[in-house]
């Protein structure tokens, strides 16, 4: 006897999906089994919704039970979506799970707005500006000091004061004005920010290739990042939402049609919402010119870019028209304010060398010079090497802020959805035929060393400016001669100050215990301007009459700033422990 050989049943082999230049499966078939990376992306979007959800539920459970119940249902949706993302067998089904995850994210963002709509200094200013606009009053250049304090942050300037004016283009306040009836405080501005973020997320989700749609949920609504800024009423959120349709598939821009007009109009509106798009626009326009010149020639490329600039500029002018006519001088100074206000140095960039790792610098302005030089250098590199740097067009502009006097991370993370949109819809293959200028020294037999030299040459001015700023010595030598205190509070300081430089300085003093700069202390006696190589004795008093001392081990620093020239001088305060 013999046993028959049992052969396994034939299985149907699935051909590997072909990948298109856009990075997605060549032709998405909703009835095919979804790729494993699509499942993982959906699952990551689902998991990102856990961040910040428990504090939201705990807050709502104490006094808004309906919101708490909705958040609890969102938990059920997150769990169910996690299971379905791993078990559904068709691409069409997984696409529906993507939609459920998006709707869950939107629901959580709305719940967060219901619970937290107090806003921040950004939303408070926008709301006040909207009230003045509705009343027909001047908006720009008017200080509103009563809005600040009591938890609303102040923007300190190097001249010892604070900026209480509105310093953004007008689109956010114009959109806020019709919503002023919704509630007290800055609820209207927070609604505009949150609504813009949700709309941007939905547009991005809809315009992305189907398997990539969960990337929109993660980058816009997940992780707890951008929804927080939206609830604080940041106009940059509105600008980011308007830039999303501009960036999605932007290498196709300039080919003609209504798509170009829509992108150009959104670009102009974004520039009328906040100043950050001003830094992105040159990179996109340079990229469009290079792409279209490679396809159509120089004249057609110039005409295509000209049409985009014309539509964008027209949109921008229409939004600003009322303010240009009614208050031209204050409007111009207002929208340029972030570039001219000389705000205190702050951020997570190289300015920290002077702020935390040394005792200051007498050449802080060189950080600002370095930022402009780096922006110009990166734009020149982008033009020279657009085939390589084209995919990074949405990231390169923000690198310049890393060396600026104010380099806070919000300048980068507020635009991160644009990074994701470009990564998916503007891959390197899109730039293979882009035109690149090639001077003679870049075309010779030694072109690789020449290109490296060109890169170094374009970035060297910024590096040199940073070096000049970081190596500057603090111009003021400060010695604390008396520290008046009451228990665990500091009530005053007597400081001997020597100006070691030749330039006269007008110092303004503050005491800090952590990151950033605290409110200025008042000078009860001492020269307002300290001449070069002169000595002065200053009596300083805390802004509220008392300064709580931190726990042992926290660094306590006395700082002095001046606006012209822009300087920082710091010294540590070593105080004996208070008697118990």
């Amino acid at each position: 006897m013999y046993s028959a050989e049992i052969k396994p049943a034939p299985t149907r082999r699935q051909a590997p999906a072909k990948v298109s230049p856009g990075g997605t499966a060549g032709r998405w078939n909703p009835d095919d089994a979804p790729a494993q990376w699509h499942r993982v992306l959906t699952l990551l979007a689902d998991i990102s919704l856990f961040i910040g959800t428990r504090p939201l539920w705990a807050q709502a459970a104490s006094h808004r039970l309906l919101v708490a119940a909705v958040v609890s249902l969102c938990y059920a949706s997150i769990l169910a979506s996690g299971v379905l993302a791993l078990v559904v067998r068709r691409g069409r089904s997984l696409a529906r799970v993507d939609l459920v995850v998006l709707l869950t994210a939107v629901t959580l963002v709305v719940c967060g707005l219901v619970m937290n709509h107090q806003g921040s200094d950004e939303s408070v200013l926008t709301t006040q500006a909207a009230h003045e606009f509705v009343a027909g009053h001047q908006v720009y250049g008017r200080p509103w000091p009563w809005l600040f304090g009591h938890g609303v942050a102040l923007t300190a300037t190097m001249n010892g004061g604070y900026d209480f004016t509105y310093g953004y283009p007008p689109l956010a306040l114009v959109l806020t004005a019709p919503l002023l009836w919704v509630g007290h405080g800055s609820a209207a501005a927070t609604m505009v920010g949150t609504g813009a973020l949700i709309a941007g997320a939905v547009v991005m989700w809809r315009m992305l290739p189907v398997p990539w749609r969960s990337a929109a949920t993660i980058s816009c609504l997940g992780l707890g990042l951008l929804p927080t800024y939206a609830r604080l009423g940041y106009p940059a959120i509105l600008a980011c939402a308007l830039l999303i349709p501009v960036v999605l598939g932007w290498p196709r821009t300039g080919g003609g049609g209504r798509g170009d007009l829509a992108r150009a109009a959104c670009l102009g509106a974004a520039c009328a919402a906040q100043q950050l798009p001003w830094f992105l626009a040159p990179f996109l326009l340079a990229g469009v010119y290079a792409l279209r010149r490679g396809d159509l020639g120089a004249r057609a490329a110039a005409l295509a870019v000209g049409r985009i600039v014309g539509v964008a500029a027209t949109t921008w002018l229409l939004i600003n028209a009322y303010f240009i006519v009614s208050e031209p001088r204050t409007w111009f100074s207002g929208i340029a304010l972030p570039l001219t206000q000389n705000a205190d140095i702050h951020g997570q960039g190289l300015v920290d060398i002077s702020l935390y790792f040394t005792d200051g610098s007498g050449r802080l302005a060189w950080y600002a010079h370095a930022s402009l030089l780096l922006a110009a250098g990166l734009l020149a590199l982008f033009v020279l090497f657009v085939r390589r740097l084209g995919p990074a067009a949405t990231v390169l502009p923000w690198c310049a802020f890393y060396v600026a006097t104010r380099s806070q991370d919000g300048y980068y993370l507020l635009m991160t959805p644009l990074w994701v949109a470009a990564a998916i819809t503007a891959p390197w293959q899109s730039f293979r035929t882009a035109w690149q200028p090639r001077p003679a020294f870049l075309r010779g037999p030694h072109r690789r060393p020449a290109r490296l030299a060109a890169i170094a040459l374009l970035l060297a001015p910024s590096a040199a400016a940073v070096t000049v700023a970081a190596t500057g010595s603090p111009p003021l030598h400060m010695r604390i001669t008396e520290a008046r205190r009451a228990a665990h509070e500091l009530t005053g300081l007597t400081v001997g100050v020597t100006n070691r430089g030749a330039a006269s300085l007008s110092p303004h003093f503050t005491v800090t215990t952590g990151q950033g700069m605290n409110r200025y202390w008042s000078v009860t006696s001492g020269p307002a301007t300290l001449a070069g190589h002169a000595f002065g004795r200053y009596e300083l008093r805390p802004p509220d009459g008392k300064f709580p001392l931190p726990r042992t081990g926290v660094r306590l620093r006395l700082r002095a700033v001046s606006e012209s020239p822009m300087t920082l001088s710091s010294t540590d305060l070593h105080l004996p422990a208070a008697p118990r």
Side-chain angles (χ1 to χ4, degrees), residues 3 44 59 73 97 134 139 143 168 204 240 244 251 261 293 325 329 342 384 409 466 488 493 495 505 529 533:
S3 59
L44 289 174
Q59 182 185 9
L73 290 176
V97 177
V134 170
V139 170
Y168 296 106
M204 183 174 173
C240 178
I244 284 174
L261 298 179
R293 179 165 177 173
V325 173
R329 184 175 299 178
N342 281 338
L384 284 175
D409 60 0
V466 168
H488 296 283
L493 290 173
V495 185
L505 298 176
T529 300
H533 306 293

Side-chain angles (χ1 to χ4, degrees), residues 527-554:
T529 300
L530 192 61
H533 306 293
F535 173 84
R537 187 177 302 277
Y538 290 84
E539 297 289 338
L540 307 179
R541 186 173 181 273
D544 295 322
K546 56 187 179 181
F547 181 85
L549 291 173
R551 66 181 186 277
T552 303
V554 174

Side-chain angles (χ1 to χ4, degrees), residues 206-263:
R206 185 67 183 84
M207 292 181 67
L208 284 177
V210 173
W212 287 105
R213 284 177 170 174
S214 283
T217 305
I218 297 175
S219 59
C220 292
L221 305 179
L223 307 176
L225 291 176
L226 266 62
T228 299
Y229 281 95
R231 290 195 299 271
L232 293 176
Y234 274 60
I237 292 292
L238 175 60
C240 178
L242 289 165
L243 286 173
I244 284 174
V246 177
V247 168
L248 281 164
W250 74 267
R252 299 191 299 270
T253 306
R258 288 180 293 181
D260 280 358
L261 298 179
R263 283 192 175 97

